[in-house]
Amino acid sequence: EPTRTRSWRGFGTASPEHLHERNPPFPPRGRFGTSAIPVPEASAAGPELAFYAAHWTGRQWQVGLSGATAFASLLGAAPADLMSPAESRLLRRYGALSAAQAATLVNGTRAGDRLMLPWKTGQAWSMTTSDDAVAARPLASLAFSGGDGRVLAAGGGRLYRFCSSQAGAVVMVIHPSGLASTYYGMRGVTELRDGSVVEQGDALGRTGSGRPCGGAAAPRAEVAFGLRRGGGAVPLDGAEIGGWTFRERAKPLLGFAERGVLQVLPGGLLANLGPVPAADDSPSSTPSPGKKPEKDGAGPAGAPAPAAT
């Protein structure tokens, strides 16, 4: 089948178990897949992730990684049995997104994807940031734990998996703007095929401590959350997600979330306010028109209880 995912051994520098591709029927004219560079066992860093696209010229393979110029042109030449035009356009948008464009999408300067925090609206989860002893930036990593443990899509888009194995996977959702959100350390990861469309609030998995892409095991069941573009990770400093703005401070080195006069420090509880802009007033408890009430993240929630802030 065109969308079947299987290992492609011997490609690139990453170990074979971290490479997956999608093939059209034989003879292949184009290929598309995911790759990941595993994290050293003791490291708390996240894995490096990339998509690749390849085209057979009749004599050799031309290959491009997401973030490189060749990636867009190779996707543009992808046969229809490899991926739909809509998926190709989204992946090209992801690959071409610049650091400056990503910054304007996440800090509210430009209309973005109205992302929410990746759990059920109204629940308060604990926030963990990077260890200052091993990371130069306190928001180099961000993890959440608690609640019912169900991890939900922060926004709608197309879903892809990296390092998929029995231990779990890194899940990426590419949103309509081209910005992507990533979810690492989950168990019970959704079995949707790569490229499937998901909506905001759809279940992706449950918090866990496994690390299928390598790295130090988590001390608790959690989900590591991040933002990416084709060229790499997008800094979280200044990011507005679900009504909270994430900040870094140099003296003392600290990462935290704020909303108005409220500040949540590492280890504190952060309430999911739903997909609301940070500049809005505290959201109403009345559901928005047209939203499905059964979606865990679909409607706005009331202001968080004092204990959550």
Side-chain angles (χ1 to χ4, degrees):
E1 295 179 1
T3 53
R4 182 181 179 186
T5 301
R6 62 186 179 88
S7 295
W8 183 12
R9 300 183 180 274
F11 178 85
T13 58
S15 56
E17 61 269 25
H18 299 302
L19 294 161
H20 301 274
E21 73 169 348
R22 182 191 303 177
N23 290 336
F26 185 85
R29 291 180 291 120
R31 296 193 176 187
F32 167 78
T34 62
S35 63
I37 299 177
V39 181
E41 191 170 325
S43 174
E48 281 301 318
L49 310 174
F51 294 98
Y52 62 82
H55 177 71
W56 177 248
T57 66
R59 301 184 62 181
Q60 62 182 1
W61 284 101
Q62 295 177 334
V63 182
L65 295 177
S66 50
T69 305
F71 183 70
S73 59
L74 289 168
L75 280 181
D81 53 8
L82 185 64
M83 67 175 61
S84 69
E87 183 180 5
S88 175
R89 285 193 298 270
L90 182 64
L91 286 162
R92 281 181 282 171
R93 197 173 302 139
Y94 167 79
L97 195 67
S98 69
Q101 289 171 331
T104 61
L105 285 168
V106 303
N107 66 18
T109 303
R110 174 177 157 201
D113 302 290
R114 299 189 70 234
L115 301 181
M116 69 173 194
L117 292 169
W119 61 86
K120 187 175 181 178
T121 300
Q123 288 187 357
W125 286 28
S126 178
M127 178 181 71
T128 305
T129 60
S130 299
D131 183 349
D132 295 345
V134 298
R137 302 191 65 165
L139 293 180
S141 66
L142 187 62
F144 302 108
S145 60
D148 59 8
R150 296 176 65 234
V151 180
L152 312 179
R158 289 185 182 268
L159 175 145
Y160 300 90
R161 288 183 295 269
F162 297 76
C163 306
S164 191
S165 70
Q166 290 184 346
V170 181
V171 172
M172 177 187 292
V173 176
I174 304 180
H175 307 295
S177 69
L179 185 74
S181 55
T182 58
Y183 314 79
Y184 188 29
M186 296 187 298
R187 57 188 174 86
V189 173
T190 177
E191 296 182 358
L192 288 172
R193 295 191 303 179
D194 283 6
S196 295
V197 174
V198 296
E199 297 181 9
Q200 188 173 60
D202 281 354
L204 303 179
R206 303 187 71 86
T207 53
S209 57
R211 291 293 185 266
C213 267
R220 67 189 69 79
E222 63 181 26
V223 58
F225 179 82
L227 300 175
R228 290 189 71 87
R229 61 186 182 90
V234 174
L236 287 164
D237 184 25
E240 297 181 357
I241 305 173
W244 295 92
T245 302
F246 291 84
R247 302 285 189 194
E248 290 180 340
R249 188 170 64 197
K251 294 182 180 180
L253 194 63
L254 182 68
F256 59 97
E258 67 179 8
R259 177 177 172 83
V261 298
L262 304 176
Q263 289 188 343
V264 177
L265 304 181
L269 292 174
L270 196 62
N272 185 5
L273 303 176
V276 295
D280 280 4
D281 294 331
S282 294
S284 165
S285 60
T286 303
S288 299
K291 293 291 186 179
K292 299 177 183 177
E294 68 273 15
K295 280 284 181 186
D296 285 332
T309 57

